[in-house]
Every structure is written in C-alpha cells, then in structure tokens.
Amino acid sequence: MQKRLKTGVKTSYKASKVEKSSLFELKFFKVFLWLLLIVVVVFLFKTNNARQGFQVSEQATSLESLNQMQNPEFKPFNNNEEFQEFLAQNEQVASYKASVQGFTGRFEAGVESVGAPLLEVAAGSRQGVSEPSVERFSTTNVQVSGIDEPDILKIGGGKAFFANTGLVNVIKAFPVEDLSIASTIGASTMLPGFGKTELFYKPETETIIVLNNKQVQGFDVSNIEKPSQKWVLKLNNSQLISARLINNDLYLITKQTPTRCPFTVGTAIIPCHKIYRPSFQSSFNGFYTVLKLNPNTGIVKDSVSFPAQSSYSYYRRTDIYMSENNLYVAYNVKRYENEVLYFLTLKYGYEVFPESFVSKVLKLDTYDISLQAKIFEFSLQLQNYLMTLPLEQQEEFQNKLRQFFENHEEEALKLSDSTVIVKIDNKDLAIKATTNVQGHLLNQFSMDEFENYFRIATTTQAFLTTSTQRYNNLFILDEKLSKVGELTKFEPEERIYSVRFMGEKAYVVTYKQVDPLLVIDVSNPASPKIAGKLEIPGYSSYLHPLTKNLLLGVGKDGRYVKIALFNVENPYNPLLEDSFYLQAYWSDVLNTHHAFLWDDKHNIVAIPANNYYYLFNIDLNNKKINLKKMVDLGWTPLRSGYINDYLYVFSDRELAVVNENSFEIVKRIQLKSGYIFVPNPRRVLVGQ
C-alpha cells in the first residue's frame, strides 16, 4: 500500500508538471497571439496611413513611371532633403554612412600629395652609356583608338610596367641586354580587398597610375630605380567599376551607396547639384559616380552621380563605352515575374482577372507609396485571390495566366530584360541623354558611336515561368538616344558571343550549336539589315580587324581554343579563309581583349593559352594562319607587347623576350609578385 501511495505521489507530481507545462505553453501562446495582433495592427495602421491622402496628383502612377523608365530623364537634387526623400521613396538601403561634416566642397581637399616612394631598388643600371633608340612600342589593345583602358601591362619607350597580383614590376625593358626589374611599386599597399591592380601610363610626363578597389595612385617614374608617389585618391567606400584615359583627363567610374548629400567617393566630395535623380520610381541599389581627374596631380576637376537600378540576375553588370566626346554607362535591369505581371495587369488585367481584383489593383496604383511596396502588396493580393479558388479552378487559372503571358509576350520580355544607358559629355560631365533598350549587353564592344549615331547590340533573355525565349537585337539611336532604326529578334534561341562595329558594318557572332558570323549593314541608320551570314562549328568570343576586309576571331570549338580568319570583303558572302586549333582549353583572350596582341609590322598575332604563348604569322596575301613559335612560360601566360623588333611575353612568374625576325628567345627574367607560391598549394602574402 505504501508502494502504491508512493506511486500515486509520483503520478500526481508528474501530472502537476504536465499541467504546469501546459499552462506555461498556453500563456506563451497567448503572449505570441497578442504580439502577432500588435504587429498586424501596426502594419494595417501604417498601410492605411500610407494610403490616406496620397493620390496621383502628388505621385505618378506605375504606368506613368513605366513610361518614364522607357524614356528616362534625370535632374539634379537641390538639397539633402530631396535626396533623403528620394532614398525613402525608393527604399534605398545604405551599406555605409559617409560623414561630410566640415567639408567645404573643394575637390582638391580629397587628394593627398606625397613624396615617399613605395619601391624596391635593383642594381645594375648603365648610366652614361649611349643606348639604342626606341623607334616603336606597343600600347594596350583598346576598343577606340586614342582612348586608353586600364590593364595589367603598360609599355612606354624603353620601360615596361607589369602588375602582378598587386605588385607592380618596373622594368628596364630596352635595350634587351639590360633587361631587368629596376624597382617595384606597391609592396606596402598589398592588403586584402584591393582586388585586381591595373595601370595607366603617360610617357610624356613619365607618370604611372595604379588603380585598385581601394585607391588610385600616381607615381613619377622618370627615375625607374626610384619611383616616387605623387598623389593618392582613396576609394574607401566605393567600388571602382572602370576607368579611361584620354589626352590629359583621367575618368574613374565608381559605384557606392550614400546616405546623404553631399557625399564622398573616398576623399572626393560630390555636391548635391552634381547628383542626379530619375523621373520615375524604381528600386535602386546605389549610385554611379564619374570623376574627372588630372592624371599628373590627382586633383578632381569635375564629377557627376546618378542612381543605378537594382537587378537580381546573372546579367547584373555595368559596361562602359567612351568616344572622343561622350562617355556611355550602361547597366542591365531584370524584373521579377510578379513585377512584370503587375504592369500587365494594370493594362490588360480584365483579360485574366475578375473585375473586383483589377479594381483593387488599379486603386492600389493610386497610392503614393513606392513601386516596390505596390508590387509587394499586389503579390499578397494575388496570393489571397488564388487561395479563394478551389483546386481545380487554380489549375484553370494557371493555364489562363500562361495564355495571358503568351498573348503579351513581347511586352513581357521587354519588361523582363532591359538596359539603361546614360550618355555623359566628356568635357563638363553633363548628362546629355538617357534611354532604355530591350535586352542585355555582352560587353563594351556591344556599343559604338559613329557619325553622331549610337549603335548597340543586345540579347533578350526571358526569365518567366511561361517563357524562356531568347533572341538578339541591334538598335541605332540618335544624339538624344531616341531610336532611329532597329533589327530585332534575329538568330532566335541563340545569344551574342561577340560584336565588332566597323564603320558602316557590324559583325555579330551568335551561338547555340553552330557559329553564325553575321554581317549587318548599318549604313542606313533607319534600316539596319543582315547582309550576309557564315555558319561554322564553334564560336568566336573576340573579333579583331586585321585589315579593312580581314577579321580574326578567337574562340572555342568543343574543348579547344580556335582562331579563325574571316574574309568580309563581300559583305553578302563572308568567307572562312583559314582556322587553327590550339592544344589548349582556355585563353585569357576569351576573357579580355587586352590579352590580344597584333603587330602589323611583322603581321604577328600573340595569344596566351594554357602554359604557352602562341605566336602566329598571318599571311595577309594568301590569307593563311602560320604558327611560328610556342613560348613555354611554365606558368599562366597573361600579356604581351613589343619594343622595336622584340616581343615581350609575360606570365605570372616570368618575362621572355623573342626576336620577331628569328623567333628566337633572347632573354628571360623572373618577375616579382605580391604572392609567393608554396607546395600545398597555398598563396602566402608577402611584401616583396
């Protein structure tokens, strides 16, 4: 009986614990319900407040905003209050806070003039000895002649500068018998997060400009054994997108997420009146800022800033094109399917939705809230509507919705994939025009300016549940970026792999299973048309004009790198004259045109691939490709250039010099790197 009593006590105790636990859970559940109710009430209160009193008289409707997106206009901010209002409307989320208190607005305050060199001196110079003269030297392979682009190799006179994982090798390159590393720049600045280091060189002032994601520096290299730092512009909270050097002006294109104006790009101050806003609502993920600097002093002459629309896709990219007079910044915008459906519903909603649902959406569009808030609430309304439908009707609605997208497929595709273009005057950095075209760009070669017309080639790729359609387009725009002519939907189900505009012709390579080289006649801007087409296996990622009528393509066919020589003398019948397969799976030319070298004196093409530098002679008369030399560099080949009749080929470890007349290697030296390689294989950062 005592045992039973104990058992009963234990049972009672357990029951008590369960009861207490249940009471605790019940109390916790009640608290949770109250908190949930409070959150809902606050949300509804804010939503109702947002809706009351905000009508189209104060704010453009989404359809008006959409029209403004297709024909965007930019105007400057007057003060920080307008800037803050813009950030709030577009739900701008700042990733950093830039303090501008105490700044006067003088750009010169952002440049540090310094004299302490960052270098390592090498012995063995031949001072006082008469040296052979430099008659010619190569420059970086660029898109537009006379407009330099940043790269890891720069040559000027008898000097060469090679940026190798953050460390710049300053090389006495000529005469060849004196080939040596005179000094290095950058050992003490080799820090994590600097990203790729690239260079500009101005031979007339003997200034080397070193660029990375953290700062831009100018060095005096008149004495290559003792380079001295002239100036530095820090880019603490900005991403360096690209840069250009034309005459005596250095242009930096950066991106940042400011929280007020004026704001700073590193140490340069951008005043409110130089920051532009669009005339439409959208989602923005930062601002592009263009700085114009004196390359010799680093002083910022001028600036302009404008917002960048956010994009969620793989094609989120920024491409830069510069002509003699204008700078073009192009960035892609992808829209989610619900955003596309929202705009289509405003225009054609009665085709698929009941009148009550469309009325709610039309009313929603009158509220003075951000476009993103409208689309979010539209998505909730759509979800609620679907939940009211029985299962069989939901399937029926999905079919109707699919048909709805198909009926308006062209408009849906335009909404889904587009590119914003901003045209900026090189002189005063004024925004001259803006526009929006269908599709996304491949790279900077997708753009071109010719006789005051701007030409652009795009690929449209739908990311919709109802469509995965892909096709290509070419648009011709006037000085105001208004459309003059277009060629759309060519080579469906393929995408652009390379583009080259040459005067009144555009050469476009698309690819899916074969490589069509298209010759597009753009002589009549109002009516571009395909003149000729050549189909061959593989594809070309880069097209380089050797002469007026000969193009060399570098690409792949299957696993191997392939070069192809095209004859485009007859635009209606382009021909493949010759081709060559390299025993290599990759070439840096597929990644950047800066890796391609054409020496028109010796008709030599230099292409890095796997561990070799391939040197070809192009017989222009017989239209043949002849392999002359494979230079084994042991490691990854990267760049090449020439001085007089000597070819300099660089890997990440070694520099070899080849006589272009005999193709004999006459000199080799080891290069210095910001990293050393160890057996595990792990890279260890060192300052030497």
Side-chain angles (χ1 to χ4, degrees):
M1 184 173 181
Q2 190 174 359
K3 190 174 182 180
R4 286 180 183 176
L5 183 60
K6 287 180 180 179
T7 304
V9 170
K10 287 181 180 178
T11 304
S12 175
Y13 175 72
K14 288 181 179 179
S16 176
K17 282 185 69 176
V18 171
E19 185 176 350
K20 287 181 180 179
S21 176
S22 299
L23 287 172
F24 176 77
E25 291 175 358
L26 182 61
K27 289 180 180 179
F28 178 80
F29 184 67
K30 286 182 178 180
V31 171
F32 173 76
L33 287 177
W34 275 107
L35 288 173
L36 182 63
L37 181 61
I38 291 170
V39 170
V40 171
V41 169
V42 170
F43 174 77
L44 291 174
F45 176 76
K46 287 186 175 181
T47 304
N48 286 332
N49 279 350
R51 291 174 175 177
Q52 291 174 2
F54 297 109
Q55 300 296 324
V56 291
S57 59
E58 293 276 331
Q59 182 70 46
T61 66
S62 297
L63 286 179
E64 289 172 330
S65 290
L66 177 61
N67 181 60
Q68 291 166 351
M69 288 180 200
Q70 303 301 326
N71 302 281
E73 293 181 1
F74 284 59
K75 61 180 182 179
F77 291 98
N78 292 313
N79 49 51
N80 184 50
E81 287 70 26
E82 289 185 1
F83 189 79
Q84 295 300 323
E85 182 183 355
F86 171 80
L87 296 184
Q89 286 179 349
N90 292 282
E91 300 178 345
Q92 176 73 34
V93 179
S95 64
Y96 75 99
K97 294 184 178 181
S99 173
V100 293
Q101 295 180 356
F103 287 146
T104 63
R106 285 179 55 84
F107 291 119
E108 291 83 349
V111 179
E112 300 176 21
S113 295
V114 292
L118 301 172
L119 56 89
E120 176 183 316
V121 179
S125 65
R126 300 197 314 170
Q127 295 184 4
V129 179
S130 177
E131 297 180 348
S133 62
V134 174
E135 298 174 356
R136 67 184 195 116
F137 57 87
S138 62
T139 56
T140 302
N141 181 31
V142 297
Q143 182 179 7
V144 180
S145 178
I147 300 176
D148 200 9
E149 302 172 9
D151 191 34
I152 60 175
L153 173 65
K154 294 293 174 179
I155 296 176
K159 302 173 184 178
F161 306 88
F162 183 67
N164 195 12
T165 56
L167 192 70
V168 181
N169 289 258
V170 180
I171 301 167
K172 181 177 176 57
F174 196 82
V176 175
E177 55 266 25
D178 290 341
L179 180 70
S180 62
I181 298 176
S183 59
T184 59
I185 297 174
S188 63
T189 64
M190 188 56 191
L191 300 173
F194 269 61
K196 185 177 181 179
T197 297
E198 294 186 307
L199 311 169
F200 284 112
Y201 181 53
K202 287 185 65 63
E204 61 273 20
T205 60
E206 297 193 278
T207 301
I208 188 77
I209 299 166
V210 183
L211 309 93
N212 54 46
N213 269 336
K214 295 295 182 182
Q215 59 191 14
V216 180
Q217 304 169 85
F219 290 86
D220 180 356
V221 289
S222 55
N223 181 353
I224 60 173
E225 293 183 350
K226 294 183 179 181
S228 60
Q229 192 180 66
K230 300 166 66 175
W231 57 268
V232 57
L233 178 69
K234 297 184 182 299
L235 304 175
N236 298 328
N237 298 309
S238 298
Q239 175 190 0
L240 182 62
I241 302 296
S242 191
R244 295 292 186 270
L245 180 63
I246 175 172
N247 298 326
N248 291 314
D249 293 314
L250 173 64
Y251 296 82
L252 304 179
I253 299 92
T254 66
K255 189 176 181 183
Q256 53 284 137
T257 52
T259 57
R260 59 170 298 158
C261 78
F263 67 83
T264 62
V265 177
T267 46
I269 304 159
I270 316 301
C272 292
H273 70 275
K274 283 290 185 177
I275 307 171
Y276 284 72
R277 62 179 299 172
S279 56
F280 56 87
Q281 282 193 31
S282 187
S283 175
F284 298 93
N285 66 345
F287 281 74
Y288 290 109
T289 298
V290 180
L291 299 176
K292 183 178 180 180
L293 290 78
N294 182 321
N296 299 313
T297 64
I299 293 176
V300 179
K301 300 178 180 180
D302 212 338
S303 69
V304 67
S305 186
F306 51 92
Q309 285 177 261
S310 61
S311 180
Y312 67 88
S313 78
Y314 164 80
Y315 297 104
R316 180 189 298 175
R317 58 175 296 131
T318 306
D319 290 295
I320 307 299
Y321 172 81
M322 177 176 267
S323 66
E324 183 181 352
N325 299 313
N326 301 299
L327 171 68
Y328 297 85
V329 179
Y331 57 91
N332 179 242
V333 178
K334 290 282 185 182
R335 294 188 177 89
Y336 288 100
E337 191 164 35
N338 274 8
E339 187 173 355
V340 175
L341 181 58
Y342 175 71
F343 286 119
L344 293 180
T345 301
L346 292 174
K347 297 178 72 173
Y348 316 108
Y350 291 111
E351 297 177 11
V352 67
F353 293 108
E355 184 176 348
S356 58
F357 180 86
V358 177
S359 297
K360 289 181 180 179
V361 176
L362 292 174
K363 185 177 180 181
L364 168 66
D365 194 48
T366 65
Y367 298 148
D368 188 8
I369 57 178
S370 72
L371 177 61
Q372 284 61 50
K374 293 177 183 179
I375 293 167
F376 176 76
E377 191 153 338
F378 168 75
S379 300
L380 293 178
Q381 291 183 7
L382 180 62
Q383 187 176 2
N384 292 336
Y385 170 70
L386 290 173
M387 291 177 65
T388 64
L389 299 177
L391 185 60
E392 61 276 8
Q393 289 187 22
Q394 287 185 24
E395 294 179 0
E396 181 182 347
F397 173 77
Q398 293 290 349
N399 292 331
K400 287 176 63 178
L401 190 61
R402 189 173 293 106
Q403 185 62 48
F404 177 68
F405 269 110
E406 290 178 3
N407 293 343
H408 303 284
E409 185 174 53
E410 185 171 351
E411 192 165 352
L413 291 173
K414 289 180 180 179
L415 289 168
S416 174
D417 185 6
S418 64
T419 294
V420 175
I421 304 164
V422 180
K423 180 181 180 180
I424 301 167
D425 191 303
N426 288 351
K427 293 180 180 179
D428 58 5
L429 296 190
I431 294 180
K432 298 169 73 172
T434 56
T435 194
N436 189 308
V437 298
Q438 182 188 158
H440 58 268
L441 308 186
L442 172 69
N443 53 35
Q444 67 187 62
F445 286 92
S446 299
M447 299 179 282
D448 178 73
E449 186 183 88
F450 181 70
E451 294 182 349
N452 296 324
Y453 289 101
F454 183 68
R455 295 94 67 91
I456 182 168
T458 69
T459 295
T460 297
Q461 171 68 66
F463 289 96
L464 304 174
T465 304
T466 57
S467 175
T468 57
Q469 189 178 151
R470 176 192 289 170
Y471 53 80
N472 306 289
N473 319 283
L474 189 147
F475 303 102
I476 300 180
L477 315 176
D478 63 15
E479 289 184 279
K480 296 182 179 179
L481 296 187
S482 297
K483 191 183 298 180
V484 175
E486 63 181 10
L487 177 65
T488 62
K489 294 188 175 181
F490 62 86
E491 299 301 315
E493 303 308 318
E494 298 189 357
R495 73 172 179 88
I496 292 174
Y497 269 71
S498 59
V499 183
R500 195 76 192 221
F501 288 94
M502 293 173 59
E504 296 183 345
K505 300 290 187 296
Y507 301 96
V508 180
V509 171
T510 61
Y511 180 74
K512 186 175 182 181
Q513 293 178 334
V514 294
D515 170 10
L517 170 68
L518 304 175
V519 182
I520 302 178
D521 183 354
V522 290
S523 58
N524 180 0
S527 182
K529 59 184 179 181
I530 296 175
K533 178 178 178 180
L534 172 68
E535 291 190 352
I536 58 174
Y539 62 86
S540 296
S541 293
Y542 175 66
L543 295 172
H544 191 89
L546 302 181
T547 68
K548 181 181 178 181
N549 297 320
L550 289 178
L551 280 177
L552 191 73
V554 183
K556 293 191 73 176
D557 185 4
R559 299 173 60 192
Y560 296 103
V561 176
K562 172 188 175 184
I563 61 174
L565 185 62
F566 300 105
N567 185 341
V568 292
E569 183 176 8
N570 181 356
Y572 299 98
N573 184 32
L575 302 173
L576 175 66
E577 295 288 0
D578 199 6
S579 62
F580 189 95
Y581 288 80
L582 285 65
Q583 296 302 306
Y585 309 127
W586 181 253
S587 169
D588 204 27
V589 178
L590 306 180
N591 182 54
T592 172
H593 57 287
H594 296 155
F596 182 91
L597 177 70
W598 165 239
D599 182 352
D600 58 2
K601 176 183 176 180
H602 294 279
N603 294 339
I604 290 176
V605 165
I607 296 176
N610 284 18
N611 291 334
Y612 292 89
Y613 237 104
Y614 287 75
L615 307 181
F616 297 94
N617 171 262
I618 309 298
D619 186 339
L620 299 179
N621 294 323
N622 297 311
K623 303 177 181 62
K624 293 294 181 183
I625 301 171
N626 302 306
L627 177 63
K628 288 295 186 179
K629 185 79 172 180
M630 292 172 60
V631 182
D632 185 359
L633 294 171
W635 304 99
T636 306
L638 296 172
R639 294 293 186 275
S640 61
Y642 59 78
I643 300 176
N644 287 1
D645 294 326
Y646 291 97
L647 191 67
Y648 295 72
V649 292
F650 293 77
S651 75
D652 53 0
R653 306 281 189 90
E654 189 179 53
L655 163 59
V657 183
V658 179
N659 186 312
E660 291 189 274
N661 293 310
S662 64
F663 289 96
E664 294 298 321
I665 298 175
V666 296
K667 192 85 170 181
R668 288 180 185 266
I669 63 170
Q670 294 296 308
L671 295 171
K672 297 187 178 183
S673 169
Y675 291 90
I676 60 172
F677 294 79
V678 292
N680 56 10
R682 178 186 172 191
R683 290 185 172 183
V684 179
L685 186 64
V686 294
Q688 60 183 16

